[in-house]
Amino acid sequence: MIIRSVGKRIAVAVASLGIVAGGSLLGPAPAYAAAEECDPGMESDFNGDGRSDAVVGDPYATVNGQAQAGRVNVLYGDGDGLIGEGARGIVSQASPSVGGSPEVGDRFGYALAVADLNCDGFTDLVVGSPYEDISGQTNSGYVQLIWGGAGGLGVGAASRQIAQTSFPNADITAGDQLGYAVDALEDVGQGGTAAPFAYAVAIGVPGGNIGGRNDAGWVGVLHAYDGGNVGNAISQNSTGVPGGAEAGDRFGAAVSINEFLTEDPASDDFVIDVVVGSPNEDVGSVADAGTVTVVKDVYFEEFPGSVTFSQDSAGVPGVVEAGDRFGRSLDTVRVGGLSRLAVGIPGEDVGSQSNAGSVQLFSFNGVSLTPGTGLTQDTAGVSGAAEAGDLFGDTLAFAAPGLTDTVTRLAVGIPGEDGEAVDSGQVQIFRMTNLGAELTYSQASPGVPGGVDAGDRFGSRVAFVSGASERAFLVGVPDDVDNSTGMVNVIPMGGGAPRFWEPGTNGVPGGANRFGDSLGSVDGGTT
């Protein structure tokens, strides 16, 4: 997921890229707005009615009799100004404009990203189905770009289909899991022609085979500028990317696109970088310690200046330990001249507490990407205490300032927290200006819907959605005990009362399996 609040222009032309350009790798797409009329619009509005929408994934749902085919629930906004409290809909591979067909085990909706990719004023949806079988290859994976429109998602222009063949030199092989993680960035460039086609989409392929090394992993980046479409396949064997591809690294298990490593002082422009988690990377002889790589300037085929971090890096607190899984989760945000990166380390041992978890913060101020605070529940001023199995940092979501809120916030999921019951779960929301002033939520918090039960794992998923008059964190609880098909808690930032979405209640379609197992985050900033 990405949240960015101040747009920059990128002084790059597709013709200069030296790779596939000038035509679509992905098939036809809807018409676009004229160049300098490409307004940012609503941050979350799939049908363009000026109201605030949300998407909730249920990748394990049965569709047309096909178990775990997967679907995405669309919760449209209404006149009350609240996110997702109007009409409800479902998007699956059985929807009119979505290619393919529901099949057993596809898990359509396993990963979601949201942005107005084609600059037409309708928010679009990126859907990962990493367990889709393609060309007879089991679990090779598939991604679809589903276009928003006046009728909503899944009923307008035909979706775009993305497989390994959308990237140079990438073969379809079993177990690739293309689409295991996805992220999207809208309005990259607006390059001054009559038909801007400006976006960047990052697709994690953590099961990818690199040079015979199984599960080494790679990341596909699709980006477009002035009508051209370009695809790059990036691995740890790519020129300029530190390290080397090794079996089991799972490079691409987490991804985020943002502007991080380079600012052009002449134009005040940034290049687009992709941040990649490799949670199973061995650091030296330490197994599954994990690393995070910031790949510099995804518009080219070589990436000099890319950097990799682990807990063995200068300035990063802690030490590498087996099973830390540094980079299991990550998120980025850019506000004004400052970019931030948060890295989840849910397997981190804190003192004698195994798998208590931590979060490492980084910032980029136009000069360098610098490690900052390492957050745990033992950090001074943070409520609670680090305990074995908490998995603090298993999920993360940034929220940039917006509406009346002037503070950047970070939500940290702690699904293994033993609060009122074992593994009942918790979420802590930190103010970046004062990390000690966090807000802590569980299903035992005043006003938060749902009962507290052992094994609920509240905080298994977190996301942020910003709309016209409301901004809210979404907390997925797919294992909720009382609501056996899952639920999502909606926690407004700005004083509104928490509420919930549950299959079969208030118009949300029934027939779910793990409702809330994935969530679509939408840009939380101003423009």
Side-chain angles (χ1 to χ4, degrees), residues 250-305:
R250 292 187 64 80
F251 181 88
V255 296
S256 185
I257 282 190
N258 214 322
E259 302 164 337
F260 257 105
L261 290 179
T262 304
E263 182 176 11
D264 180 350
S267 62
D268 196 34
D269 288 341
F270 279 78
V271 298
I272 300 301
D273 310 309
V274 60
V275 187
V276 183
S278 307
N280 290 37
E281 174 100 8
D282 298 347
V283 179
S285 62
V286 182
D288 298 336
T291 65
V292 165
T293 301
V294 185
V295 179
K296 180 180 176 180
D297 197 353
V298 297
Y299 271 66
F300 292 91
E301 292 181 289
E302 298 182 354
F303 313 99

Side-chain angles (χ1 to χ4, degrees), residues 138-154:
T138 303
N139 299 339
S140 59
Y142 197 44
V143 166
Q144 292 167 291
L145 307 187
I146 300 173
W147 306 104
L153 289 171

Side-chain angles (χ1 to χ4, degrees), residues 58 60-62 71 73 484-486 503 509-515:
D58 188 355
Y60 294 86
T62 296
R71 70 188 195 187
N73 298 264
S484 61
T485 57
N513 188 346
R514 290 178 54 81
F515 180 85

Side-chain angles (χ1 to χ4, degrees), residues 54 56-58 61-62 71-76 84 86-91 485-487 501-516:
V56 175
D58 188 355
T62 296
R71 70 188 195 187
V72 176
N73 298 264
V74 189
L75 298 102
Y76 294 100
R88 279 78 165 89
I90 287 178
V91 175
T485 57
M487 68 179 295
W501 299 322
E502 177 192 348
T505 301
N506 295 327
V508 178
N513 188 346
R514 290 178 54 81
F515 180 85

Side-chain angles (χ1 to χ4, degrees), residues 40-63:
M42 182 87 65
E43 287 97 341
S44 177
D45 188 2
F46 301 109
N47 58 3
D49 64 358
R51 297 166 178 172
S52 306
D53 310 330
V55 285
V56 175
D58 188 355
Y60 294 86
T62 296
V63 179

Side-chain angles (χ1 to χ4, degrees), residues 158-468:
S159 65
R160 292 189 169 195
Q161 323 305 318
I162 302 167
Q164 289 85 338
T165 51
S166 300
F167 304 95
N169 305 316
D171 296 325
I172 299 174
T173 58
D176 283 349
Q177 297 181 344
L178 181 139
Y180 186 90
V182 294
D183 192 25
L185 175 65
E186 65 186 75
D187 296 349
V188 183
Q190 297 181 36
T193 71
F197 190 171
Y199 66 77
V201 175
I203 299 170
V205 194
N209 185 313
I210 302 296
R213 297 169 178 85
N214 196 40
D215 294 339
W218 54 279
V219 172
V221 178
L222 297 170
H223 42 86
Y225 186 89
D226 282 2
N229 291 263
V230 181
N232 278 338
I234 304 167
S235 76
Q236 288 180 297
N237 281 0
S238 297
T239 301
V241 177
E246 300 168 316
D249 283 350
R250 292 187 64 80
F251 181 88
V255 296
S256 185
I257 282 190
N258 214 322
E259 302 164 337
F260 257 105
L261 290 179
T262 304
E263 182 176 11
D264 180 350
S267 62
D268 196 34
D269 288 341
F270 279 78
V271 298
I272 300 301
D273 310 309
V274 60
V275 187
V276 183
S278 307
N280 290 37
E281 174 100 8
D282 298 347
V283 179
S285 62
V286 182
D288 298 336
T291 65
V292 165
T293 301
V294 185
V295 179
K296 180 180 176 180
D297 197 353
V298 297
Y299 271 66
F300 292 91
E301 292 181 289
E302 298 182 354
F303 313 99
S306 301
V307 295
T308 292
F309 292 95
S310 72
Q311 286 187 295
D312 205 27
S313 300
V316 176
V319 296
V320 293
E321 299 166 314
D324 277 351
R325 290 186 166 82
F326 184 94
R328 163 73 172 80
S329 61
L330 53 85
D331 198 14
T332 59
V333 64
R334 179 164 177 79
V335 179
L338 180 67
S339 296
R340 298 182 188 272
L341 165 65
V343 176
I345 321 167
E348 173 83 0
D349 297 346
V350 180
S352 62
Q353 305 300 308
S354 62
N355 299 327
S358 67
V359 173
Q360 178 60 47
L361 302 177
F362 296 82
S363 61
F364 177 74
N365 60 6
V367 178
S368 62
L369 183 59
T370 305
T373 300
L375 272 176
T376 75
Q377 286 186 294
D378 279 356
T379 300
V382 176
S383 62
E387 299 165 316
D390 280 350
L391 302 179
F392 179 92
D394 197 53
T395 54
L396 299 169
F398 268 119
L403 298 177
T404 61
D405 192 358
T406 61
V407 177
T408 300
R409 302 176 190 272
L410 174 68
V412 178
I414 321 168
E417 175 78 17
D418 300 342
E420 291 71 24
V422 174
D423 293 341
S424 55
Q426 191 177 90
V427 170
Q428 290 184 310
I429 300 175
F430 294 87
R431 297 163 59 98
M432 291 295 96
T433 54
N434 183 1
L435 294 173
E438 101 284 349
L439 301 171
T440 299
Y441 294 91
S442 73
Q443 287 181 306
S445 299
V448 175
V452 177
D453 296 282
D456 277 349
R457 299 182 64 80
F458 180 89
S460 292
R461 302 290 183 267
V462 291
F464 182 76
V465 177
S466 180

